[in-house]
Amino acid sequence: MARKLYLLLLLFCGHTVSEKPLLNDRPLAPLDFGYVPTGSYDTNAYHEPGPIGLLFQIVQGFLYVVQPNKFPQDLVKRIAQQKFGETRNDYQKPENVLLTLQAIHYEIGFIVAAVLGVLFFLLVPLVGFCFCMCRCCDNCGGEMHQRHKKNADCQRGSIATFLFVTSLLMSLGVLCAFAANQNLTDQIRGSKRLVQSNFKDLKTLLIDTPVQIDYLLNKFNITKDKALSELNNVGPLLGERVHEQLGKGVRPAFDAVLNMAGAIKETKEALENVSVSVEVLQEAMDRLNENLTDAKLQLNSTLSDPACFTNVALTYCNKIKNSLSQLKVNANFSTLPDTSQYLHKLNNVLKTDLSNLVQKGYAAFNSTPELVHNQTKNIEEDMKNILDSIGANITNFSKMIPVLQIMSNLTAYLAQSEMYVRDYYPVVEQYDFYRWLASLVLCCMVTLIVVFYFLGLLCGSFGYDQHSSPTTRGCISNTGGNFLMAGVGFSFIFSWILMLIVIVTFLAGGNVQKLVCEPFQDRSLFKVLDTPYLLNSQWKNYLSGVLYQNANVSLTFEKVYSDCKENKGIFTALQIDNLFNLNEFLNISMYVDEISDRIEMINIKLNNIVLLDEKGRRNLEDFSSMGIDEIDFDAFLAEVGKSSTNVDLLAFANDLEGNADMLPKGALGNALKGHANSIRMIHIQQVVPMEQTMGLLNQSIKLLQRTLFDIEGKVLDVISSIDAAQMLINNNASSVMKQESKKFMDTVIGYFVQYIQWVKDSIALDVAGCKPIANVVDTAVDVFLCSYVIDSVNSFWFGLGGSTIFLIPAIIFAVKLAKYYRRMDTEDVYDDVETVPMKNMENGNNGYHNEYLYGIRNPIMTSAVEQW
């Protein structure tokens, strides 16, 4: 029946899917499948003993003193693997003898305690019998005579105290035994609720598993809908991807052409600036030359004044005359090459709008998605069919396993088991009642003895009269002594029965605690069970051999228990993948291969896309062949680098004004200062604008020089890049389409891989969580056997055994104390005031005081108990 449970897990496909690695240049969008519905389990396989737990801990501490050794895994394994009793000489084999000695060494604590118990069991009744016979012969304290001692009161008090303490300890032991006995009964009665909780959790497991399976299968629709939403837009999407991939090679070529078109326009603007600047500079230079000549003539005329020939002014006037030769222009722009012819050619080139041609090429290239969509309409339908096949395979697989039938059979089997437990539970309670009653009788035996002792102490203590002689003690005191002797008698009668029960329960409960409960808690017991070839000499792994008939599968009790303890799925805990090969059901690699074959058949043509037509190419070639790069740019730069005048007019005007200041004040000095101001005006009005124009000319020349450097090579590179891009479109569009189609289908199949991976994870962690199975084991072993039964049994023998052991000192103290409480037949009498021997002779020949001599009869008949 258990194997049927494993069959339903065939529905779970995730663990065995083997796909080819999927490559994608964009991250796959995660799908949200939600959380698998899981039921809540009510069983708490843990027992908190409450106040009695302190007693349990004390008992476990005592057992540790008796048996401090760790769980002997190796010894248990070897003993289990060794075969005893097959032949008569098996026990005499050296290895078996060694194992026996090792077992004895491990159990030495229990053996010693058991031997002591057996000695108690044998000797105490024998000693009691001999003691009775001895007292019947008026020996061993049976003679009803008490000798006076000086410390009699001290002895009586000490013995009473010791007996009282011993009785208290015995009472404490009896209370422990009573508590343990009642606790075991209460736990067995309460275990019914725990058993019902375990059955309820198992039912929840069986009920939830089909629901979880349906949930996993229904979530396939999310994957399918996501894949179909992608496929509904497969044409435009593939077109966009192809367009994007081709654009990586096409856009740089378009950018290069556009840059060259911009360079052509910049060249035209620079040539126009050069032509205009040269013309303006020539005209300005001519005007400047005329103005400087006029200024020079006027200065010569002023220096011809007679005032310049005086001694004071002659030196300064001559100095001014000598500097007049510097007033002339320095640059000559009339010798520069004419650029008008190049400008004319460039205007002819610009008649063709290269930028417009590039935009047309862009427009043609941007039509790629539409062209791809029109040529790949069939692939969309093919991919949908393949995905439908994947979905149909998963859906049909779920129909191959009769889940409802399996669940129905398991539920019926579980119901029968629950009914069996329910029917036999009253029988268990009945037998437990018998056990409780028997244990109660044992406790009552000790209680009876303790009660006799306490009554004896009570009556003896309160009825004792120090002024009374041993032969005249009161009835109450005598009754107390009789109670003590009755306790002694019952102690001898019951001691062997009590010790026999203690020995049996001690050996059974102690060894179960040490060999089962403690190893179960630290899982050492599972390691023993998982020993290869231990439970079956033919199987390496017993559990896998039973479940799968394959003992080579590494399936251990410890691993199964640990996984179920963590509420992992049965599929993971029992490693059911070793039983069923799910690859053949949900291996989508065949579909990946089919998709790859379909993609290889794709062949698209984009020959209608022209990036740059012949007109644009000729335009670029005409620009590179104009010869504009042959212009003598160095000549332009040389003239522009010169100053417009031979001398700085401002400096010349300042020197002229300084020399005028050195002359005597008068018309000559004022005239020279007027000429200086005129020269300054020439600089401001003519030289400064010329320098600005020359700067503009310098910038234009350098721009042309930089733009036109190796212009033929640059144009050739642009044309080559356009040709390469055009070749990419014409020849590689199909390969790019195949590559992008593969990536697209990898994305779509990736959704199915996500679903399968999610199913695998859900099976491993959520579906059919086997925590109830671990709870059943914990309930049976840890809770019921160890916590309920063994702890109570161990506490019972601990309390009962302690009380039984204390019977020995109690017997001794009770016998001695009874002598002080009971009424004696004779006593020793010594009168301190009458020391005459004749007086002593009156009391008897031996010095005893005999009540018959004085005519005093004992009012109490000596009973059979008094003879003790």
Side-chain angles (χ1 to χ4, degrees):
M1 184 61 68
R3 295 179 182 175
K4 295 182 180 179
L5 177 61
Y6 312 147
L7 294 177
L8 63 94
L9 295 169
L10 280 169
L11 293 167
F12 306 136
C13 56
H15 187 74
T16 56
V17 176
S18 58
E19 299 87 3
K20 296 181 178 179
L22 303 178
L23 303 176
N24 200 347
D25 56 355
R26 67 171 184 170
L28 191 63
L31 300 178
D32 184 12
F33 298 107
Y35 298 96
V36 178
T38 56
S40 59
Y41 299 131
D42 298 335
T43 302
N44 182 16
Y46 174 76
H47 174 63
E48 183 63 38
I52 201 174
L54 179 61
L55 175 61
F56 294 164
Q57 293 178 0
I58 294 174
V59 175
Q60 291 173 3
F62 175 77
L63 285 175
Y64 178 78
V65 174
V66 175
Q67 176 54 280
N69 300 321
K70 294 182 179 180
F71 178 65
Q73 294 186 33
D74 296 336
L75 179 61
V76 173
K77 292 176 184 178
R78 285 184 291 166
I79 292 177
Q81 291 175 340
Q82 192 68 32
K83 297 181 179 179
F84 291 95
E86 290 187 355
T87 61
R88 184 173 299 177
N89 296 326
D90 281 345
Y91 295 97
Q92 300 177 358
K93 292 181 179 180
E95 60 272 15
N96 293 340
V97 173
L98 179 60
L99 289 177
T100 304
L101 293 176
Q102 290 177 346
I104 293 174
H105 178 267
Y106 174 77
E107 292 283 339
I108 189 66
F110 287 103
I111 293 175
V112 170
V115 168
L116 294 177
V118 171
L119 291 176
F120 184 98
F121 169 76
L122 296 176
L123 295 180
V124 171
L126 181 61
V127 170
F129 176 77
C130 296
F131 182 70
C132 292
M133 294 297 101
C134 183
R135 287 183 66 86
C136 289
C137 297
D138 290 335
N139 295 317
C140 303
E143 183 183 8
M144 299 299 291
H145 172 78
Q146 187 174 16
R147 293 178 177 84
H148 284 283
K149 295 181 180 179
K150 293 182 179 180
N151 60 348
D153 292 337
C154 180
Q155 288 184 354
R156 178 180 53 79
S158 300
I159 295 173
T161 301
F162 290 147
L163 180 60
F164 178 74
V165 173
T166 304
S167 299
L168 283 179
L169 294 176
M170 292 172 61
S171 301
L172 183 61
V174 171
L175 290 177
C176 292
F178 269 121
N181 183 41
Q182 187 62 39
N183 180 74
L184 178 56
T185 298
D186 293 340
Q187 298 301 340
I188 290 178
R189 291 176 181 176
S191 63
K192 184 176 182 180
R193 184 168 53 255
L194 184 61
V195 172
Q196 291 174 349
S197 176
N198 277 276
F199 276 111
K200 180 181 177 182
D201 289 346
L202 291 174
K203 290 179 181 178
T204 301
L205 172 62
L206 296 179
I207 293 173
D208 288 347
T209 299
V211 176
Q212 293 171 339
I213 295 173
D214 292 339
Y215 182 85
L216 295 181
L217 296 178
N218 291 336
K219 288 303 176 179
F220 174 74
N221 294 328
I222 295 179
T223 306
K224 184 177 180 180
D225 294 341
K226 182 64 177 179
L228 290 178
S229 66
E230 296 277 355
L231 290 175
N232 290 334
N233 198 31
V234 61
L237 184 59
L238 287 177
E240 289 294 336
R241 289 191 176 186
V242 173
H243 178 261
E244 181 180 354
Q245 290 297 323
L246 293 178
K248 295 177 181 179
V250 172
R251 290 191 183 92
F254 277 139
D255 293 341
V257 177
L258 288 176
N259 291 335
M260 187 57 65
I264 294 174
K265 293 180 180 179
E266 291 177 354
T267 302
K268 176 189 175 184
E269 294 176 358
L271 281 177
E272 289 178 344
N273 291 335
V274 169
S275 178
V276 173
S277 297
V278 169
E279 184 178 353
V280 170
L281 287 174
Q282 287 179 355
E283 294 177 357
M285 194 61 70
D286 291 340
R287 289 196 303 272
L288 178 61
N289 190 30
E290 291 177 359
N291 291 333
L292 290 178
T293 301
D294 291 341
K296 188 190 302 183
L297 292 176
Q298 292 176 3
L299 280 172
N300 282 327
S301 175
T302 301
L303 293 174
S304 298
D305 190 274
C308 282
F309 295 99
T310 62
N311 292 331
V312 177
L314 181 60
T315 302
Y316 297 103
C317 288
N318 290 334
K319 184 178 179 180
I320 294 172
K321 286 181 180 180
N322 293 333
S323 63
L324 291 179
S325 61
Q326 297 177 355
L327 290 177
K328 60 180 180 180
V329 296
N330 189 32
N332 185 9
F333 295 98
S334 60
T335 59
L336 294 177
D338 185 14
T339 59
S340 59
Q341 58 175 336
Y342 300 109
L343 186 59
H344 178 70
K345 292 180 180 180
L346 193 56
N347 287 329
N348 291 332
V349 171
L350 289 174
K351 290 180 180 179
T352 301
D353 190 353
L354 186 59
S355 298
N356 187 36
L357 296 178
V358 173
Q359 294 301 325
K360 291 181 179 179
Y362 258 124
F365 177 68
N366 290 334
S367 65
T368 301
E370 183 179 357
L371 294 175
V372 171
H373 177 56
N374 293 332
Q375 297 183 40
T376 58
K377 290 182 178 180
N378 294 332
I379 189 176
E380 178 177 348
E381 189 65 27
D382 292 340
M383 291 182 178
K384 285 184 178 180
N385 293 334
I386 294 174
L387 294 182
D388 288 339
S389 299
I390 297 176
N393 188 38
I394 295 176
T395 304
N396 292 334
F397 174 67
S398 65
K399 299 178 181 179
M400 297 175 60
I401 306 300
V403 180
L404 295 179
Q405 183 64 31
I406 294 174
M407 292 296 100
S408 177
N409 294 337
L410 291 175
T411 303
Y413 178 77
L414 187 63
Q416 292 177 1
S417 301
E418 185 178 9
M419 185 63 66
Y420 178 83
V421 172
R422 186 179 303 171
D423 292 340
Y424 278 89
Y425 194 82
V427 178
V428 174
E429 290 184 335
Q430 183 179 3
Y431 280 103
D432 176 69
F433 173 74
Y434 296 152
R435 179 210 55 79
W436 175 83
L437 190 60
S439 301
L440 185 63
V441 170
L442 294 174
C443 293
C444 289
M445 291 180 182
V446 182
T447 303
L448 178 63
I449 297 172
V450 173
V451 168
F452 278 134
Y453 285 153
F454 277 122
L455 288 176
L457 288 171
L458 182 64
C459 294
S461 298
F462 285 98
Y464 183 78
D465 186 4
Q466 294 182 349
H467 301 289
S468 299
S469 65
T471 58
T472 60
R473 288 171 182 159
C475 180
I476 297 178
S477 176
N478 187 62
T479 302
N482 291 335
F483 276 134
L484 293 178
M485 295 309 298
V488 172
F490 284 116
S491 296
F492 283 119
I493 293 173
F494 296 148
S495 60
W496 66 277
I497 300 175
L498 297 175
M499 184 52 66
L500 178 62
I501 299 299
V502 170
I503 294 173
V504 174
T505 54
F506 166 72
L507 292 177
N511 280 283
V512 171
Q513 176 68 29
K514 286 295 182 178
L515 297 177
V516 177
C517 296
E518 292 182 3
F520 179 81
Q521 291 177 355
D522 61 14
R523 302 187 183 180
S524 300
L525 188 61
F526 293 112
K527 295 179 181 179
V528 173
L529 295 177
D530 292 329
T531 302
Y533 309 107
L534 178 67
L535 302 179
N536 189 318
S537 60
Q538 304 297 325
W539 289 347
K540 180 180 180 181
N541 297 291
Y542 180 79
L543 192 58
S544 60
V546 171
L547 297 179
Y548 308 139
Q549 302 302 315
N550 183 4
N552 294 323
V553 177
S554 180
L555 183 65
T556 62
F557 288 98
E558 182 180 13
K559 184 64 168 59
V560 173
Y561 176 78
S562 299
D563 289 342
C564 289
K565 194 75 173 175
E566 298 174 3
N567 199 27
K568 292 183 179 180
I570 292 180
F571 190 91
T572 299
L574 297 181
Q575 301 180 19
I576 301 179
D577 54 315
N578 292 297
L579 180 62
F580 304 106
N581 182 11
L582 303 181
N583 281 326
E584 57 188 60
F585 295 103
L586 288 171
N587 184 4
I588 65 173
S589 60
M590 64 181 73
Y591 303 106
V592 176
D593 294 337
E594 184 177 356
I595 291 172
S596 300
D597 295 338
R598 299 288 181 87
I599 290 174
E600 289 297 327
M601 298 173 59
I602 296 176
N603 185 19
I604 62 172
K605 296 180 180 180
L606 301 178
N607 297 333
N608 295 333
I609 298 177
V610 178
L611 302 181
L612 187 65
D613 57 12
E614 292 298 326
K615 187 176 181 180
R617 293 173 182 271
R618 286 196 303 270
N619 184 267
L620 292 173
E621 293 172 353
D622 292 342
F623 174 67
S624 63
S625 61
M626 286 192 312
I628 194 171
D629 55 333
E630 298 176 357
I631 296 176
D632 189 1
F633 298 112
D634 294 336
F636 283 91
L637 294 176
E639 291 300 324
V640 172
K642 296 178 181 180
S643 59
S644 57
T645 59
N646 195 36
V647 67
D648 187 358
L649 295 184
L650 290 177
F652 185 84
N654 292 332
D655 291 342
L656 180 59
E657 189 173 9
N659 290 325
D661 290 336
M662 301 301 295
L663 296 176
K665 296 182 178 180
L668 179 59
N670 293 332
L672 290 175
K673 291 181 179 180
H675 290 304
N677 290 331
S678 298
I679 292 173
R680 288 192 182 97
M681 293 302 297
I682 292 173
H683 176 78
I684 295 172
Q685 295 178 357
Q686 297 185 24
V687 174
V688 172
M690 285 182 62
E691 289 178 350
Q692 294 176 351
T693 305
M694 291 171 65
L696 179 61
L697 178 60
N698 184 41
Q699 294 177 0
S700 300
I701 292 299
K702 289 183 177 180
L703 177 61
L704 287 172
Q705 191 178 24
R706 185 170 57 253
T707 303
L708 299 176
F709 176 76
D710 193 20
I711 189 62
E712 293 183 0
K714 293 179 179 178
V715 172
L716 183 60
D717 291 340
V718 171
I719 295 175
S720 298
S721 65
I722 285 292
D723 290 340
Q726 187 68 53
M727 185 177 297
L728 175 65
I729 293 175
N730 295 339
N731 300 332
N732 297 338
S734 295
S735 62
V736 173
M737 177 62 187
K738 294 176 182 178
Q739 180 182 1
E740 293 305 316
S741 298
K742 180 64 168 60
K743 290 180 180 179
F744 173 78
M745 286 310 300
D746 286 347
T747 301
V748 174
I749 294 177
Y751 295 132
F752 290 89
V753 174
Q754 277 194 58
Y755 171 74
I756 293 173
Q757 182 64 35
W758 172 75
V759 169
K760 180 184 73 173
D761 296 338
S762 298
I763 291 171
L765 301 176
D766 300 324
V767 175
C770 60
K771 183 63 178 291
I773 298 177
N775 287 340
V776 170
V777 177
D778 289 338
T779 299
V781 180
D782 189 41
V783 177
F784 188 82
L785 176 62
C786 296
S787 297
Y788 288 0
V789 177
I790 297 302
D791 282 345
S792 298
V793 169
N794 288 339
S795 299
F796 179 78
W797 64 250
F798 180 77
L800 190 64
S803 299
T804 305
I805 293 298
F806 281 108
L807 287 177
I808 295 177
I811 290 173
I812 298 173
F813 296 141
V815 170
K816 288 184 173 294
L817 186 61
K819 202 74 171 178
Y820 292 96
Y821 291 160
R822 298 177 68 188
R823 183 182 296 115
M824 299 290 104
D825 292 336
T826 59
E827 63 175 325
D828 291 338
V829 177
Y830 298 100
D831 295 331
D832 295 334
V833 295
E834 298 180 8
T835 58
V836 180
M838 290 303 294
K839 182 68 176 179
N840 294 332
M841 291 298 294
E842 293 179 0
N843 294 326
N845 295 329
N846 296 326
Y848 291 168
H849 171 76
N850 194 320
E851 57 187 7
Y852 294 104
L853 295 178
Y854 289 90
I856 301 174
R857 298 286 302 193
N858 193 336
I860 305 294
M861 295 293 295
T862 303
S863 64
V865 177
E866 288 178 330
Q867 297 302 320
W868 282 70

